[in-house]
Amino acid sequence: MKVKRPYTELERVVLPCLEIVADLIHGGTKAVDKVKKIAVSDTTVWRRCAVISADLKEQLIQKLLEASSFGIQLDESTDISSESQLMVFCRFPDIKSNRIVEHYLFCQPVEEKATAEAIFNKINEFFEEEGLDWSKCKSVTTDGAAAMRGSQKGLIERIKRKSPECIGIHCILHREALVTKKLELNAGDASEVRWLSRGKVLSRVFELREQLGAYYTERGDQKANRFRNIYWIAKLAYMASIFDRLNQVNVSLQGKGGDIFRSTSKINALKMKIQLWKNNASSRNFIDFPLLSQYLKESGWEFEDVSTINTMVMNELPKLCKNKEATETTLN
């Protein structure tokens, strides 16, 4: 909020609106005075939020204690103050609802360096405080960081000492990101992308190519030469199209209720699509890459040497397939 004060929405926004409504509907100061007596101060709202939060946590812990087994998923990230925050989620069979449910478990700062030992100690401390049984923890999902998956001192190995039957799972979203970590735009000018969401930048650059070209031209920047190079723009369009396709798959893998069967089927479908794209591209059919196809049509002259674009596409798609196979071989 602009006032930079939490828990004040009811007091500063909702309550004044209710006063106006009371005056319009009932009229007079009597109705308005009754509305003003509603306890909605920031301290009152904070206290109620704390009570609700504690109650929800108590219910969740009780369900975990009653569950025959559960799995956890965790990730460590840095907030705007550069402090490491550990987020942990859980999935377990809910006895009352008779279905598999997912819940946010906790988020706590990792005061020291986010090593495997520090992360494990934070989770272990929470488990001990809440009386959770480590032997019921059957799976742990993490990213591929060495601190998480190290064979000797990694987090998963430390958890296995507490729960020998626990298995470590590499997050399928992180696998997808690793596969497309580096796709070359052209020789000597690589476009490295850590997370697929950054691929949206390519689409934006393509959309603003004329404006960017004019901007760099006015400033005498050599980057203007790229935006005058029709083949470079075509390659940009191709890369933007590829990342858009991969982003769609990445987003479909996210959200609650997913499982390994659905995720695997989506990845397998993408692998088959890549082969289809390759087959179409071999006959110089670029309909699978909308921005590239659009640019070729807008150019109006079908490029003097379409084989250059064809070669680029045919060189890049096999790399994507190879990266996927290599990643699966390494992680399975």
Side-chain angles (χ1 to χ4, degrees), residues 275-291:
Q275 186 59 47
L276 175 63
W277 300 342
K278 182 180 177 181
N279 294 339
N280 289 340
S282 64
S283 59
R284 300 186 180 185
N285 181 357
F286 305 113
I287 194 173
D288 299 305
F289 315 111
L291 292 181

Side-chain angles (χ1 to χ4, degrees), residues 72-76 86-88 119 123 140-142 148 155:
I72 60 174
Q73 180 174 1
L74 54 96
D75 190 22
E76 175 270 328
L86 176 64
M87 296 173 287
V88 181
I119 295 174
I123 301 174
V140 180
T141 303
T142 67
M148 300 292 187
L155 173 66

Side-chain angles (χ1 to χ4, degrees), residues 206 209-210 291-302:
F206 177 78
R209 59 188 182 279
E210 294 182 3
L291 292 181
L292 175 59
S293 180
Q294 171 192 337
Y295 181 63
L296 291 174
K297 291 180 181 178
E298 288 179 354
S299 299
W301 42 270
E302 294 295 331

Side-chain angles (χ1 to χ4, degrees), residues 173 176 196 244-254 266-267 270 273:
L173 283 170
E176 181 69 14
L196 291 176
D244 180 63
R245 294 283 193 176
L246 296 175
N247 278 335
Q248 293 176 20
V249 176
N250 186 270
V251 171
S252 71
L253 293 172
Q254 301 179 35
K266 291 177 180 179
I267 294 298
L270 175 61
K273 286 181 180 178

Side-chain angles (χ1 to χ4, degrees), residues 48 68 90 154 160 164 181 225 246 263-264 268 277 297 327:
R48 289 172 178 171
S68 58
C90 60
K160 284 184 176 181
K181 185 176 180 181
N225 295 329
L246 296 175
S263 298
T264 301
N268 289 334
W277 300 342
K297 291 180 181 178
T327 302

Side-chain angles (χ1 to χ4, degrees), residues 80-242:
I80 58 175
S81 62
S82 299
E83 184 177 22
S84 295
Q85 300 287 343
L86 176 64
M87 296 173 287
V88 181
F89 299 82
C90 60
R91 174 181 283 190
F92 59 91
D94 187 352
I95 297 177
K96 293 183 179 179
S97 63
N98 195 31
R99 62 189 180 89
I100 302 296
V101 296
E102 302 173 18
H103 283 283
Y104 160 81
L105 189 55
F106 71 86
C107 176
Q108 294 184 6
V110 182
E111 293 81 4
E112 53 188 300
K113 189 176 180 181
T115 62
E117 181 179 7
I119 295 174
F120 172 78
N121 289 339
K122 186 64 65 173
I123 301 174
N124 188 52
E125 179 182 331
F126 180 87
F127 271 44
E128 290 181 351
E129 288 179 355
E130 304 301 334
L132 298 177
D133 187 356
W134 267 115
S135 64
K136 291 185 178 182
C137 182
K138 303 300 183 181
S139 68
V140 180
T141 303
T142 67
D143 59 22
M148 300 292 187
R149 305 185 63 83
S151 59
Q152 299 298 324
K153 299 181 180 180
L155 173 66
I156 294 178
E157 289 303 314
R158 294 174 185 271
I159 292 178
K160 284 184 176 181
R161 296 169 192 167
K162 289 281 189 177
S163 178
E165 296 182 358
C166 181
I167 61 174
I169 301 174
H170 189 169
C171 175
I172 196 166
L173 283 170
H174 191 258
R175 295 190 189 191
E176 181 69 14
L178 288 177
V179 167
T180 51
K181 185 176 180 181
K182 184 174 182 179
L183 291 176
E184 294 182 359
L185 185 56
N186 60 21
D189 183 17
S191 172
E192 293 192 12
V193 179
R194 183 178 181 185
W195 294 108
L196 291 176
S197 59
R198 293 187 183 179
K200 295 179 180 179
V201 174
L202 294 174
S203 296
R204 193 60 175 163
V205 171
F206 177 78
E207 293 172 1
L208 299 175
R209 59 188 182 279
E210 294 182 3
Q211 292 83 351
L212 289 171
Y215 173 83
Y216 287 125
T217 299
E218 290 178 1
R219 284 157 180 74
D221 195 313
Q222 292 184 354
K223 291 186 179 70
N225 295 329
R226 295 180 178 177
F227 292 94
R228 288 192 291 264
N229 186 324
I230 56 175
Y231 294 102
W232 189 88
I233 295 295
K235 293 175 183 178
L236 175 64
Y238 161 73
M239 293 297 292
S241 296
I242 277 289

Side-chain angles (χ1 to χ4, degrees), residues 1-46:
M1 293 182 64
K2 292 182 179 180
V3 295
K4 299 186 183 300
R5 292 179 57 191
Y7 309 108
T8 59
E9 289 85 356
L10 289 178
E11 185 178 14
R12 292 178 175 271
V13 181
V14 178
L15 190 60
C17 293
L18 289 177
E19 292 176 9
I20 296 174
V21 171
D23 183 49
L24 292 174
I25 295 178
H26 299 285
T29 59
K30 190 174 181 179
V32 175
D33 290 339
K34 287 185 177 180
V35 172
K36 289 183 177 179
K37 293 180 181 179
I38 301 176
V40 290
S41 66
D42 55 350
T43 53
T44 299
V45 175
W46 173 84

